[in-house]
Amino acid sequence: MQTVILEGELGNRFGRRWNTSCDKLIDIFKLIECQREGFRQYMMECSDAGIQFDIKRGDTYLEDESEIL
């Protein structure tokens, strides 16, 4: 089990704390998408607007796109 924390606007809109047994980020995104209407649309709009997000696992920021997707 791991805890996913969404900070800032993401946390305000879609919930700050998520507990999951998912290992892959894509599965975590799918979990949130299924539970919170508008998550996928919001992420797509942010991408279109050039808004980027930092993803951190433990103390390490993920930079390699293959780790993220």
Side-chain angles (χ1 to χ4, degrees), residues 2-18:
Q2 66 178 327
T3 301
V4 175
I5 298 173
L6 302 179
E7 295 183 339
E9 183 68 22
L10 275 178
N12 292 340
R13 284 179 175 240
F14 302 107
R16 178 166 163 68
R17 187 173 289 269
W18 294 82

Side-chain angles (χ1 to χ4, degrees), residues 12-58:
N12 292 340
R13 284 179 175 240
F14 302 107
R16 178 166 163 68
R17 187 173 289 269
W18 294 82
N19 293 313
T20 180
S21 59
C22 299
D23 289 332
K24 297 179 182 174
L25 287 173
I26 191 73
D27 294 332
I28 293 169
F29 287 167
K30 286 179 183 179
L31 166 78
I32 298 170
E33 178 184 352
C34 289
Q35 300 291 320
R36 296 291 191 265
E37 186 176 333
F39 179 76
R40 180 180 175 87
Q41 182 66 34
Y42 178 78
M43 295 299 286
M44 290 177 15
E45 289 171 2
C46 286
S47 178
D48 290 344
I51 297 170
Q52 298 179 344
F53 298 94
D54 290 328
I55 300 175
K56 189 174 170 183
R57 178 169 276 163

